[in-house]
Amino acid sequence: QVQLVESGGGLVQPGGSLILSCAASGRIFSILSMDWYRQAPGKQRELVAHISSDDSTTYADSVKARFTISRDNAKNTVYLQMNSLKPEDTAVYYCNALVRVGPSANFDSWGQGTQVTVSS
């Protein structure tokens, strides 16, 4: 099985910065793409950022120019650098990865989530 472990969440004031990391481990042949999602209380989970195998990236309009997603393939790790944080960024952030686990098998893996709270 593939496991994803997020870290780096916490409490930060508006305008501050945080960096989240997510490390994948287990039966990994390769990681095809990685994503960050977030879910605020009472709201639907939304895609925040995406990075593909060729390092192309996509961002939600609400975080574009403030957040940066990157990956370290050697470490099977994805990062989310979050700058100029706003209260509306408060949510549980989840790492997601599309992982090749066999010659013809892919697995959509999810982390346990890490809380990000932006408040004065």
Side-chain angles (χ1 to χ4, degrees):
Q1 188 71 284
V2 175
Q3 292 184 322
L4 303 180
V5 179
E6 301 102 331
S7 62
L11 175 64
V12 65
Q13 292 185 341
S17 298
L18 286 174
I19 183 166
L20 307 182
S21 63
C22 172
S25 62
R27 196 175 188 87
I28 301 172
F29 284 67
S30 63
I31 299 178
L32 303 180
S33 63
M34 303 186 82
D35 307 279
W36 286 99
Y37 287 77
R38 68 185 182 188
Q39 187 167 23
K43 297 184 178 179
Q44 190 173 355
R45 185 180 300 181
E46 64 173 342
L47 177 65
V48 176
H50 167 88
I51 186 165
S52 65
S53 58
D54 65 354
D55 286 338
S56 63
T57 58
T58 303
Y59 298 93
D61 288 340
S62 60
V63 307
K64 187 170 294 186
R66 299 189 298 118
F67 291 10
T68 302
I69 187 171
S70 61
R71 63 190 294 175
D72 185 333
N73 293 332
K75 298 180 179 179
N76 288 329
T77 299
V78 64
Y79 305 92
L80 186 67
Q81 176 68 54
M82 304 185 294
N83 299 322
S84 301
L85 283 162
K86 305 175 181 179
E88 52 263 43
D89 295 319
T90 296
V92 177
Y93 284 71
Y94 296 92
C95 177
N96 171 262
L98 181 60
V99 181
R100 188 175 301 281
V101 297
S104 60
N106 296 336
F107 183 73
D108 194 17
S109 183
W110 291 87
Q112 82 289 347
T114 185
Q115 177 71 48
V116 172
T117 302
V118 184
S119 176
S120 298

